[in-house]
Amino acid sequence: MADLIVKKVAPVYPPMGRKARIQGTVVLRVEIGKSGNVESIQMVSGHPVLAPAAIEAVKQWEYKPYLLNGEPVDVETRVMVSFTLAGNPPAEGVVGDMPGGIPRDEEGGIISNVPAERGRPGVVRGSQAVMAGLLVSKVAPDYPVDAKQARIQGTVVMKVIVDKEGNVANIQLISGHPLLAPAAIDALKQWKYRPYLLNGMPVEIETQVQVTFTLAS
């Protein structure tokens, strides 16, 4: 459905949500009529303060008709609209204070069905929420001794490529303390996902993973 969209309206960040520093993703089930207009919207999940703005925006989206055997048909898909405030790690397809704030949709939670990086054509991008649902095994990092002694805490953010078998094929550090990052990367290498299927076929997928280190008080 992302390839068929012809008009996309960005949501307005609710003032109450901004004031209360509320962030998150609103997931909507959308029915698109034969003409390509949004016929109905049902909220699947999301914060109640953010949901009305997401729904109001998606109501105005327009698609090219979906053709089956050459005939337009009604179609149901999912739309994910994420709200992120300034001062937080940037993410694809968010609205609010981040640059590039147009939400993107794709059935099954794909954020962008375009090549993720040169040299890896066909890699799609997936949200952290979608990939969390595919996680089979997760290895916790060992807290580095030097970092623990220095009382260093924080979050390590990494860009990850998961291959067609669900293995972590590539990791790139985005941000994080240099004493914490190696432990996070070593642990993440051992994570295992279920293959992500697009049109019934396994595909490579790019996502972000955050690993947080917190010391006992």
Side-chain angles (χ1 to χ4, degrees), residues 8-91:
K8 186 178 288 187
V9 176
V12 177
Y13 213 118
M16 183 182 299
R18 188 186 297 274
K19 184 176 180 181
R21 306 293 295 175
I22 296 170
Q23 304 176 101
T25 298
V26 179
V27 181
L28 306 172
R29 183 182 296 114
V30 179
E31 290 186 11
I32 301 165
K34 296 177 182 179
S35 64
N37 295 319
V38 174
E39 300 287 349
S40 68
I41 301 175
Q42 288 184 313
M43 187 176 80
V44 177
S45 62
H47 197 286
V49 171
L50 303 176
I55 291 171
E56 189 60 34
V58 174
K59 281 181 182 178
Q60 304 173 65
W61 293 15
E62 295 178 6
Y63 296 80
K64 296 177 184 176
Y66 188 91
L67 302 180
L68 183 64
N69 297 325
E71 295 292 330
V73 295
D74 296 339
V75 64
E76 180 182 291
T77 188
R78 279 193 176 189
V79 171
M80 298 175 67
V81 180
S82 295
F83 294 79
T84 301
L85 293 166
N88 294 278

Side-chain angles (χ1 to χ4, degrees), residues 102-151:
I102 301 295
R104 304 178 188 180
D105 70 303
E106 177 71 20
E107 187 170 356
I110 293 293
I111 290 180
S112 177
N113 191 18
V114 297
E117 52 184 330
R118 284 175 292 184
R120 299 187 73 92
V123 178
V124 298
R125 295 177 185 164
S127 70
Q128 295 181 51
V130 168
M131 295 308 296
L134 297 176
L135 192 60
V136 175
S137 62
K138 181 178 181 178
V139 175
D142 293 324
Y143 214 119
V145 176
D146 292 347
K148 187 175 291 187
Q149 291 176 345
R151 305 293 296 176

